[in-house]
């Protein structure tokens, strides 16, 4: 089921059963349009909606074509543990690479790793940047097979019995965060918990993003409560949301290297 069909189903459930099940139904199409943020169906449009010039976006997405070919080869070398559907989709993959090349983050945090497609893409960008570290969190020791080892990567396996407390303690060690990407438990309350833990640690000019925002209203509610107008990427099955915080993160922002 595509993202539009999913959110239409959420609208019908809400209309039939009432607002008391708000936390247990996906958002509707109107929820996304009423948020005030721009909607996109391509990586290029999404990155431009977040504020980067079209020429810079085109440059990093041209790089991504080569990177995606390397990722295909990597998939052929590794026996995967998770279904391919657990990984981020095509346009979201390009966005992850592009965001890390454009933003030049020092500290990236992602929750939810699975086989490590998103981790691999982020690290490919950080490696080309020549700087930055990726902090990845998961509850399964099988996570990250696509990456294996990388000098700019720290994979931490959280306590399965107390994942929220474990993540909260780990984030204290990470410190300020330039780029956040949620892709773990997509239920309403777990999503809200992660967002609330990360948001105060975001740096000026950073990007706060979440995959699967069509699974619950958590991202929409969180952004609305803070007066944010997120941008959305409608991929083939999932919807990604992102907020770019105001302020210049560094003097290198907007300059590509490598």
């Amino acid at each position: 089921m595509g993202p539009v069909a999913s959110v239409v189903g959420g609208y019908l459930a809400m209309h039939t059963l009432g607002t008391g099940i708000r936390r247990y139904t996906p958002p509707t199409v109107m929820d996304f349009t009423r948020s005030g943020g721009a909607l996109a169906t391509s990586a290029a449009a999404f990155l431009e909606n977040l504020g980067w010039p079209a020429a810079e976006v085109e440059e990093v997405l041209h790089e991504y074509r080569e990177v995606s070919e390397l990722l295909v080869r990597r998939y052929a070398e590794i026996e995967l543990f998770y279904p391919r559907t657990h990984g981020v989709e095509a346009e979201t993959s390009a966005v992850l690479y592009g965001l890390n090349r454009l933003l030049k983050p020092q500290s990236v945090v992602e929750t939810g790793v699975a086989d490590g497609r998103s981790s691999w893409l982020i690290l490919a960008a950080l490696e080309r940047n020549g700087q930055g570290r990726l902090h990845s969190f998961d509850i399964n020791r099988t996570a990250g097979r696509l990456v294996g080892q990388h000098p700019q990567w720290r994979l931490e396996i959280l306590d399965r019995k107390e994942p929220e407390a474990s993540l909260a303690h780990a984030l204290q060690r990470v410190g300020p965060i330039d780029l956040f990407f949620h892709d773990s438990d997509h239920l309403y309350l777990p999503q809200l918990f992660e967002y609330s833990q990360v948001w105060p640690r975001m740096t000026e000019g950073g990007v706060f993003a979440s995959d699967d925002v069509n699974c619950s209203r958590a991202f929409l509610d969180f952004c609305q409560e803070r007066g944010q107008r997120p941008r959305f990427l409608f991929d083939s099955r999932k919807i990604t949301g992102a907020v770019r915080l105001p302020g210049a993160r560094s003097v290198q922002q907007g300059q590509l290297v490598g």
Side-chain angles (χ1 to χ4, degrees):
M1 181 182 291
V4 174
S6 175
V7 294
V8 169
Y11 170 77
L12 293 175
M14 288 289 292
H15 182 73
T16 303
L17 300 175
T19 57
I21 61 167
R22 179 177 181 81
R23 294 184 180 180
Y24 305 101
T25 57
T28 70
V29 172
M30 280 188 287
D31 287 324
F32 288 103
T33 57
R34 287 174 176 171
S35 71
L39 311 182
T41 58
S42 70
F46 186 65
L47 292 169
E48 290 174 29
N49 287 342
L50 286 171
W52 276 283
E56 293 182 19
V57 169
E58 182 181 1
E59 185 176 347
V60 297
L61 293 184
H62 180 75
E63 286 180 13
Y64 174 72
R65 298 189 189 102
E66 178 184 348
V67 170
S68 63
E69 292 175 2
L70 294 175
L71 181 56
V72 169
R73 295 177 201 168
R74 181 60 177 163
Y75 267 107
E77 298 169 352
I78 299 297
E79 182 179 356
L80 302 179
F81 186 85
Y82 299 87
R84 288 286 289 267
T85 54
H86 279 50
V88 290
E89 297 185 283
E91 295 300 315
T92 307
S93 295
V95 162
L96 281 177
Y97 181 81
L99 273 178
N100 282 274
R101 286 290 286 134
L102 292 163
L103 188 63
K104 300 263 185 307
Q106 291 296 326
S107 177
V108 182
V109 167
E110 68 163 344
T111 57
V113 177
D115 281 313
R117 181 182 179 90
S118 56
S119 308
W120 194 96
L121 290 164
I122 293 168
L123 288 165
L126 296 183
E127 185 174 335
R128 186 145 189 169
N129 290 346
Q131 62 184 25
R133 177 174 289 273
L134 170 61
H135 303 267
S136 301
F137 300 97
D138 205 294
I139 60 172
N140 296 308
R141 297 192 175 278
T142 54
R145 290 190 177 190
L146 277 170
V147 178
Q149 302 290 327
H150 195 285
Q152 290 170 271
W153 193 37
R154 178 180 174 83
L155 170 62
E156 186 165 343
I157 305 302
L158 302 175
D159 185 340
R160 181 183 288 271
K161 295 180 180 179
E162 297 182 338
E164 293 183 344
S166 184
L167 177 63
H169 289 142
L171 290 175
Q172 291 178 4
R173 297 192 297 272
V174 170
I177 300 169
D178 301 316
L179 174 58
F180 170 66
F181 185 66
H182 161 88
D183 196 15
S184 57
D185 190 338
H186 303 313
L187 294 177
Y188 187 90
L189 291 179
Q191 282 184 314
L192 277 185
F193 175 81
E194 284 194 11
Y195 301 156
S196 64
Q197 289 294 309
V198 171
W199 184 259
R201 296 177 166 85
M202 294 297 301
T203 60
E204 290 186 353
V207 173
F208 180 86
S210 178
D211 199 15
D212 296 275
V213 298
N214 52 297
C215 291
S216 88
R217 289 176 166 74
F219 188 79
L220 286 166
D221 288 352
F222 186 86
C223 291
Q224 182 180 16
E225 289 172 3
R226 285 154 184 79
Q228 300 295 320
R229 297 175 62 186
R231 276 48 176 166
F232 298 103
L233 171 65
F234 280 59
D235 217 325
S236 60
R237 292 182 296 106
K238 306 176 182 181
I239 301 174
T240 295
V243 171
R244 188 178 180 190
L245 282 72
R249 192 192 65 77
S250 74
V251 294
Q252 288 183 313
Q253 187 171 335
Q255 299 175 352
L256 295 179
V257 297

